[in-house]
């Protein structure tokens, strides 16, 4: 385990690090998740092993600190990750980022371009959502923060199921709610605009059964490779690790 101070108050982001060659690979989890649990199998897969790999947990989640005075906007998450990557000497890294982590990775690459050389987005959030009851970001954002802290989180726990809750329960409640609220609002400029304007190699992988990605033509016209993965749901790296490793290896090979 490694760590770096990322806020003026001394809050630390932590990661599990696997030794290997540069450039580094940084794996970033989604909402209510943790990178070591979601990406360990991928990082050591024969097609992806051998690189220095940081399985990093965003502030508020997993093994990182959970400050209650942090805003947890996508921009704040990106800047905190950037501080951790700078401290780790991981400039020019290849980012593999899932769900909300993909949204943060797009913002990170936009705000701190020297830190990111390639981007693999794993069914990442690219569009705003309407808050509505349910276990995901839209369901969490349907509560006010007070409602969520005083009992709404229990409804989310029951809707999320045992697998997701096993890592979601590690998150700070403020972190979980504020991250979801800012995720469903999108960014300014929009995430899709930021993604299309990046000048680095970019790949977006998604479950094949979800059908064509909305706006795929515009993304591909901007140089983003869109790659459907068969036999999987949202957690592609867990549901079909072999296909995920092949697609990611191709994306990172150029």
């Amino acid at each position: 385990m490694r760590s770096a101070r990322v806020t003026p108050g001394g809050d630390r982001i932590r990661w599990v690090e696997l030794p290997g060659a540069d450039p580094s690979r940084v794996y970033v989890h989604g909402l209510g998740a943790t990178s070591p649990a979601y990406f360990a199998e991928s990082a050591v897969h024969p097609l992806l092993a051998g690189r220095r790999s940081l399985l990093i947990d965003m502030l508020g989640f997993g093994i990182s600190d959970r400050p209650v005075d942090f805003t947890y906007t996508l921009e704040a998450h990106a800047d905190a990750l950037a501080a951790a990557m700078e401290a780790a000497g991981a400039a020019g890294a290849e980012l593999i980022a899932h769900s909300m982590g993909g949204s943060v990775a797009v913002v990170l690459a936009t705000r701190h371009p020297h830190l990111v050389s390639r981007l693999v987005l794993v069914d990442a959030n690219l569009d705003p959502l309407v808050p509505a009851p349910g276990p995901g970001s839209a369901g969490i954002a349907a509560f006010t923060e007070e409602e969520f802290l005083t009992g709404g989180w229990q409804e989310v726990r029951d809707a999320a199921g045992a697998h997701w809750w096993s890592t979601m329960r590690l998150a700070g409640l403020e972190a979980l709610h504020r991250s979801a609220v800012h995720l469903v609002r999108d960014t300014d400029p929009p995430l899709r605009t930021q993604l299309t304007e990046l000048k680095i190699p970019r790949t977006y992988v998604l479950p094949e059964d979800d059908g064509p990605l909305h706006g795929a033509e515009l993304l591909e016209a901007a140089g983003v490779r869109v790659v459907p993965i068969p036999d999987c749901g949202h957690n592609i790296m867990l549901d079909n690790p072999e296909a995920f490793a092949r697609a990611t290896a191709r994306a990172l090979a150029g």
Side-chain angles (χ1 to χ4, degrees):
M1 187 191 296
R2 304 285 189 270
S3 72
R5 174 175 168 165
V6 297
T7 69
D11 303 296
R12 288 185 171 272
I13 275 181
R14 296 181 179 85
W15 63 92
V16 171
E17 183 167 327
L18 306 178
D22 287 326
S24 299
R25 287 182 179 153
V26 177
Y27 293 84
V28 188
H29 62 86
L31 184 70
T34 173
S35 291
Y38 276 68
F39 283 115
E41 184 175 6
S42 299
V44 300
H45 189 282
L47 292 175
L48 296 173
R51 288 289 187 87
R52 181 191 182 202
S53 297
L54 283 64
L55 283 64
I56 200 162
D57 281 348
M58 288 184 281
L59 208 61
F61 296 92
I63 58 176
S64 291
D65 287 345
R66 296 175 275 279
V68 299
D69 58 349
F70 193 70
T71 62
Y72 296 103
T73 65
L74 297 182
E75 293 82 2
H77 274 304
D79 290 347
L81 276 178
M85 291 173 64
E86 292 276 17
E94 301 169 339
L95 261 65
I96 302 96
H98 179 232
S99 197
M100 184 187 85
S103 307
V104 172
V106 171
V107 178
L108 171 62
T110 300
R111 292 166 71 91
H112 307 275
H114 68 290
L115 292 176
V116 185
S117 61
R118 292 180 182 271
L119 197 56
V120 179
L121 303 179
V122 187
D123 208 20
N125 301 73
L126 295 180
D127 300 303
L129 298 172
V130 177
S137 56
I140 294 171
F143 295 97
T144 67
E145 184 168 315
E146 182 180 2
E147 290 169 343
F148 188 72
L149 296 179
T150 57
W153 67 269
Q154 295 171 315
E155 296 181 37
V156 171
R157 174 199 61 193
D158 296 342
H163 181 83
W164 194 5
W165 185 252
S166 69
T167 58
M168 191 184 290
R169 66 185 177 181
L170 302 177
L173 294 180
E174 293 86 358
L176 195 56
H177 184 265
R178 293 175 198 168
S179 295
V181 166
H182 291 289
L183 179 63
V184 302
R185 290 177 182 171
D186 205 351
T187 56
D188 182 19
L191 281 169
R192 282 181 180 267
T193 301
Q194 294 189 50
L195 178 58
T196 58
E197 292 181 350
L198 290 172
K199 305 304 181 185
I200 56 176
R202 295 143 296 159
T203 300
Y204 187 104
V205 301
L206 73 157
E208 186 176 73
D209 289 345
D210 284 359
L213 176 67
H214 169 66
E217 298 84 0
L218 293 176
L219 292 179
E220 290 176 325
V224 181
R225 293 182 63 241
V226 178
V227 181
I229 305 293
D231 304 322
C232 65
H234 179 56
N235 296 322
I236 301 172
M237 73 292 290
L238 301 180
D239 297 338
N240 194 339
E242 286 298 319
F244 175 75
R246 287 195 300 271
T248 302
R250 283 196 299 270
L252 298 178

